[in-house]
């Protein structure tokens, strides 16, 4: 059963509340879904493209990065500061507090198609933002004013070909399937980043009958966000494509990570497909897993999985499904962001956000769960 609520307040469009409760074996209780239509604007710019989100507990605000590519249709590269009113009934309201452009070190706009912000993480000292991009440098550090502090392209091993010609190169990242996620561990000691799909030399993208071996990279990080040594590379197997259509596009990939300890991660996989002819209607299967890298084989320094002796003995990152969004909503949309939120009755809350891709058939959706059973401790 669903109920529809209208809000006349700033920005905040239509709230959609779905049936509360647990799915089988999830351990997390779903509270509700809240939606802001794609035609929403803020400061005369389309509000959307939300591909990463991070909660600042001290200020009780959320920073959310847009994947705008500095084009007329999408606007400049940017991130938003949001205020999300959430309680034991779910999300009541989402206010857009500010919008800041992400700029280079001189404070100038990035060039068109030079950035595609996909994830962000608040630094341990809460003063800066680490963010990943599918275009150009895979990892950057910016101030809360949006100005670039440092570029960490040189931290990614050469065989990823990050920032290179991905379409023609025989090895490295695949075009459109590059660095999609980032997270800083609660201890403030490490930052993880990961691409959406396998390196070309490691294996294929997911198919209906096979998984894709995605690499997760683990770095040391300082309080101000300065990224240090690469200490681990681990293989996470993205699920096979769960559903296909006859209309052409069917995929599955690693969309986001959220650290719950130095070794445990929440990982969201996003599978998308054409719901009709053309590129004007998509639907999605979204699943979130509890993953553990502590027993996984560390393949740091290995250029190719196929070059590893006895690769059949490699231990991948373990995973256990926590959430299948199909249990809670008929239209999860393109969920690409997740973060913790405030305690609800003393229990952790977990928020998800979808990327509307600036498309009229999609929406900016917010979902909230509460951890009644201590699954995320």
């Amino acid at each position: 059963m669903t109920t529809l609520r209208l809000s006349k307040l700033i920005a905040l469009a239509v709230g959609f509340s779905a049936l509360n409760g647990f799915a089988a074996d999830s351990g997390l209780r779903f509270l509700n879904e809240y939606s802001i239509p794609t035609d929403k604007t803020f400061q005369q710019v389309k509000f959307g493209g939300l591909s990463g989100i991070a909660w600042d507990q001290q200020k009780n605000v959320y920073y959310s990065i847009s994947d705008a590519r500095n084009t007329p249709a999408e606007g400049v590269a940017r991130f938003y500061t949001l205020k999300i009113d959430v309680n034991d009934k779910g999300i009541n309201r989402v206010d857009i507090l500010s919008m800041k452009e992400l700029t280079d070190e001189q404070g100038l706009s990035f060039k068109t198609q030079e950035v595609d912000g996909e994830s962000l993480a608040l630094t341990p000292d809460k003063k800066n933002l680490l963010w990943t991009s599918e275009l150009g440098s895979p990892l950057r550090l910016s101030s809360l004013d949006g100005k670039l502090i440092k570029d960490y392209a040189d931290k990614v091993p050469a065989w990823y070909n990050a920032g290179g010609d991905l379409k023609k190169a025989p090895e490295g990242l695949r075009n459109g399937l590059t660095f999609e996620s980032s997270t800083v561990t609660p201890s403030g000691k490490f930052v993880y980043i990961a691409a959406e799909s396998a390196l070309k030399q490691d294996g294929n993208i997911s198919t209906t009958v096979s998984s894709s071996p995605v690499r997760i990279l683990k770095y040391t990080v300082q309080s101000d966000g300065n990224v240090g040594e690469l200490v681990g590379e681990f293989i996470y197997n993205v699920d096979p494509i769960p559903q296909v259509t006859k209309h052409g596009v069917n995929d599955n990939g690693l969309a986001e990570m959220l650290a719950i300890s130095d070794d445990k991660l929440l990982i969201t996989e996003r599978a998308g497909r054409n719901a009709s002819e053309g590129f004007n209607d998509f639907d999605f299967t979204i699943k979130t897993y509890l993953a553990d890298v502590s027993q996984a084989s560390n393949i740091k320094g290995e250029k190719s999985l196929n070059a590893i002796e006895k690769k059949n003995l490699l231990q991948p990152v373990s995973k256990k499904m926590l959430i299948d969004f199909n249990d809670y909503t008929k239209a999860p949309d393109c969920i690409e962001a997740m973060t913790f939120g405030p305690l609800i009755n003393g229990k952790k809350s977990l928020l998800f956000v979808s990327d509307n891709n600036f498309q009229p058939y999609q929406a900016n959706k917010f979902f909230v769960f509460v951890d009644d059973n201590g699954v995320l401790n």
Side-chain angles (χ1 to χ4, degrees):
M1 171 176 280
T2 62
T3 58
L4 199 64
R5 302 178 304 175
L6 297 178
S7 172
K8 296 180 181 179
L9 300 174
I10 185 174
L12 306 182
V14 180
F16 175 80
S17 177
L19 181 66
N20 288 6
F22 295 89
D25 301 321
S26 72
L28 301 176
R29 179 163 53 92
F30 179 56
L31 295 184
N32 80 331
E33 172 182 336
Y34 188 94
S35 183
I36 300 175
T38 283
D39 62 4
K40 170 65 190 173
T41 62
F42 182 75
Q43 295 179 354
Q44 300 180 324
V45 177
K46 287 183 179 179
F47 176 66
L50 306 182
S51 297
I53 191 167
W55 179 46
D56 186 332
Q57 183 177 2
Q58 296 174 356
K59 298 177 182 177
N60 194 24
V61 296
Y62 299 79
Y63 305 108
S64 187
I65 195 168
S66 173
D67 62 3
R69 300 185 177 193
N70 281 12
T71 64
E74 298 173 355
V76 299
R78 60 189 181 273
F79 71 96
Y80 297 94
T81 302
L82 307 176
K83 184 76 171 180
I84 302 177
D85 178 15
V86 59
N87 57 25
D88 58 0
K89 302 299 182 183
I91 297 172
N92 302 303
R93 172 174 170 165
V94 179
D95 288 324
I96 308 168
L97 301 183
S98 68
M99 178 180 68
K100 295 187 184 299
E101 181 179 3
L102 290 164
T103 66
D104 65 16
E105 290 175 306
Q106 286 73 46
L108 302 175
S109 298
F110 288 106
K111 297 177 182 178
T112 299
Q113 304 288 342
E114 188 177 10
V115 294
D116 178 358
E118 291 292 344
S119 181
L120 84 171
L122 196 61
T123 56
D125 65 6
K126 316 302 181 189
K127 295 180 180 180
N128 300 307
L129 296 171
L130 283 163
W131 55 285
T132 58
S133 174
E134 281 207 301
L135 293 173
S137 174
L139 183 62
R140 298 176 173 97
L141 177 69
S142 294
S143 70
L144 291 178
D145 289 330
K147 190 174 181 180
L148 183 67
I149 297 173
K150 197 164 184 179
D151 184 317
Y152 293 109
D154 62 345
K155 295 289 184 177
V156 178
W159 50 86
Y160 283 73
N161 190 31
D165 188 339
L166 303 185
K167 291 182 179 180
K168 296 181 179 180
E171 295 183 337
L173 297 160
R174 288 178 160 89
N175 187 52
L177 298 173
T178 67
F179 285 95
E180 186 83 11
S181 57
S182 63
T183 184
V184 170
T185 60
S187 68
K189 295 179 180 179
F190 303 102
V191 59
Y192 287 90
I193 63 173
E196 189 173 348
S197 194
L199 299 179
K200 294 176 184 178
Q201 65 268 30
D202 283 346
N204 294 323
I205 62 175
S206 290
T207 70
T208 56
V209 295
S210 64
S211 60
S212 182
V214 175
R215 295 196 189 204
I216 296 175
L217 292 79
K218 182 180 183 180
Y219 297 87
T220 60
V221 67
Q222 296 179 7
S223 179
D224 62 359
N226 189 40
V227 176
E229 178 188 3
L230 175 64
V231 294
E233 287 183 78
F234 310 96
I235 293 299
Y236 173 88
N237 288 315
V238 170
D239 286 354
I241 295 170
Q243 182 180 342
V244 297
T245 71
K246 63 181 180 180
H247 303 299
V249 175
N250 304 276
D251 63 13
N252 193 29
L254 195 163
E256 186 61 294
M257 301 185 295
L258 179 64
I260 61 176
S261 73
D262 285 349
D263 295 312
K264 292 183 179 179
L265 306 167
L266 294 178
I267 293 180
T268 293
E269 298 183 23
R270 178 208 54 224
R273 55 203 161 264
N274 292 81
S276 61
E277 292 288 349
F279 292 89
N280 57 1
D281 190 8
F282 275 71
D283 60 17
F284 299 88
T285 297
I286 311 294
K287 296 180 181 180
T288 296
Y289 293 86
L290 178 60
D292 191 336
V293 307
S294 62
Q295 301 302 312
S297 301
N298 190 339
I299 61 166
K300 175 188 171 185
E302 296 290 349
K303 180 179 179 180
S304 170
L305 291 183
N306 294 318
I308 298 176
E309 293 185 16
K310 298 181 179 180
K311 67 177 181 179
N312 59 311
L313 298 180
L314 288 177
Q315 180 64 46
V317 175
S318 66
K319 56 190 286 190
K320 175 184 178 182
M321 191 173 73
L322 288 183
I323 301 170
D324 182 341
F325 277 82
N326 287 334
D327 292 335
Y328 305 104
T329 176
K330 292 182 178 179
D333 224 311
C334 187
I335 294 174
E336 293 192 1
M338 62 178 165
T339 187
F340 291 116
L343 296 179
I344 297 176
N345 296 329
K347 307 295 184 181
K348 287 184 178 179
S349 64
L350 183 63
L351 282 75
F352 295 82
V353 182
S354 71
D355 175 4
N356 70 350
N357 292 302
F358 302 101
Q359 298 297 326
Y361 58 85
Q362 292 183 253
N364 305 285
K365 293 187 176 182
F366 298 76
F367 304 82
V368 61
F369 292 78
V370 62
D371 182 18
D372 282 340
N373 295 331
V375 174
L376 305 179
N377 291 336

